[in-house]
Amino acid sequence: MKPGKVVSSSALRSSLLRGVTRALPIVMGYVPIGFAYGVLATQAGLSVFNTVAMSVVVYAGSAQLIGAGLFATGTPALSIVATTFVVNLRHLLFSAALSPHLKGWRAGELAIFAYELTDETFAVHSVRFPTGLPSKAEIFALNATAQLSWLIGGWFGAVVGGLIADVRPLALDYTLPAMFIALLVIQIRARLEIVIAALTGLLAVLLTLLGVGRWSVILATVAGATLGVLLEQLTGGRLEEVA
Amino acid sequence: MIDQRAVFLTLVAMGVVTYLPRVLPLWLFASRSLPPVVVAWLRYVPVAVLAAMLLPSLVLPEGHLDFGWHNLYLWAAIPTFIVAWRTRSLFGAVVTGMALVAGARWLFGIP
């Protein structure tokens, strides 16, 4: 083997390892939530095969939990599909927001990347991409590790569904909220972004209280980002950097 | 007893309506330059969407406003914010938040 080949294969290995490592905070959240999904889906009457299949075919945490609930109550298929569409429409914004960073990627690579785009992988990528795009190996390793942990958690929950383990004493249910807090804070680089985060969050709370339901995240985000651009134009920049 | 074949077909349709919004913007936008105002707008999306998903989960974890002392999701968020701000460490913040929630549940016997 030529020396150059050795270097590049070890570079590939370290890229893959970095991707897996950076996925670990997501894994800590996905295993217990996936487990809870697996328990709920089998209790809703789905076979183990279909429970795992949903994690492969749909792969969207909150929509899968909602979907399991709808199957349990015998909701018509069309209504389940429509609900899933609305719940998952926010991915449109994730996909659009990351697109400027992925110029030059082939359609097939984008197709694979898009398949594993979730709230959590988006949050991690949206913090990292603006500081310099990691290698494709690292990006795909991160995404694949996250999905694998979701699959394993769901499968395990489906198999041992009867013996519901309580995840609350270990606070595993707080992993994802804590991760969103950290990613939001790390994301913020300008004072105007603090204002936008606060206003968008309050608007989402208000919309939820008004019963807008699943649309509240999308509506609040569109309003918040629009306000951000307007204020940026008015003040002539993103205001001082804070970090 | 539900028909597992019908469930599977429903899953496939759920997968299609989930996948299209994930892939179409990437396919449409990654290959071209967008107007600066659109790029500026997209730069606010991550902050806005994270805040929109986070704040409701902290102040209305059960679907109604809850500022009670037993709402650990909310109170643990404050030190978690501070640790994230000071250290810029994802892992440090996550461990802080989980340790606080687990510790408070154990100490005060909150279910």
Side-chain angles (χ1 to χ4, degrees), chain A residues 105-115 140, chain B residues 19 23 27:
Chain A
W105 280 38
R106 285 193 292 270
E109 292 167 339
L110 291 173
I112 298 168
F113 178 79
Y115 164 60
F140 285 124
Chain B
Y19 185 62
V23 75
W27 272 349

Side-chain angles (χ1 to χ4, degrees), chain B residues 9-20:
Chain B
L9 293 175
T10 311
L11 292 184
V12 172
M14 290 165 74
V16 171
V17 299
T18 301
Y19 185 62
L20 290 178

Side-chain angles (χ1 to χ4, degrees), chain A residues 183-206:
Chain A
L183 289 168
L184 178 62
V185 169
I186 293 167
Q187 186 83 235
I188 286 175
R189 305 225 170 272
R191 198 155 293 178
L192 184 52
E193 288 172 337
I194 301 176
V195 176
I196 296 307
L199 291 176
T200 310
L202 289 173
L203 184 59
V205 169
L206 193 67

Side-chain angles (χ1 to χ4, degrees), chain A residues 97-176:
Chain A
L98 293 181
S99 66
H101 302 290
L102 301 178
K103 287 196 192 310
W105 280 38
R106 285 193 292 270
E109 292 167 339
L110 291 173
I112 298 168
F113 178 79
Y115 164 60
E116 291 177 314
L117 189 56
T118 63
D119 295 343
E120 293 75 20
T121 58
F122 165 75
V124 171
H125 290 316
S126 69
V127 170
R128 180 67 176 82
F129 285 3
T131 66
L133 197 68
S135 67
K136 284 173 191 167
E138 181 180 331
I139 293 169
F140 285 124
L142 191 159
N143 286 354
T145 306
Q147 186 174 13
L148 191 64
S149 71
W150 178 252
L151 279 170
I152 291 171
W155 170 79
F156 194 59
V159 173
V160 302
L163 336 151
I164 306 161
D166 190 2
V167 298
R168 295 172 64 83
L170 292 172
L172 292 175
D173 55 316
Y174 201 61
T175 311
L176 294 178

Side-chain angles (χ1 to χ4, degrees), chain A residues 75-87:
Chain A
T75 310
L78 195 64
S79 172
I80 297 178
V81 174
T83 305
T84 306
F85 177 69
V86 174
V87 170

Side-chain angles (χ1 to χ4, degrees), chain B residues 35-47:
Chain B
V37 66
V38 177
V39 175
W41 190 83
L42 290 174
R43 268 211 309 263
Y44 283 100
V45 168
V47 166

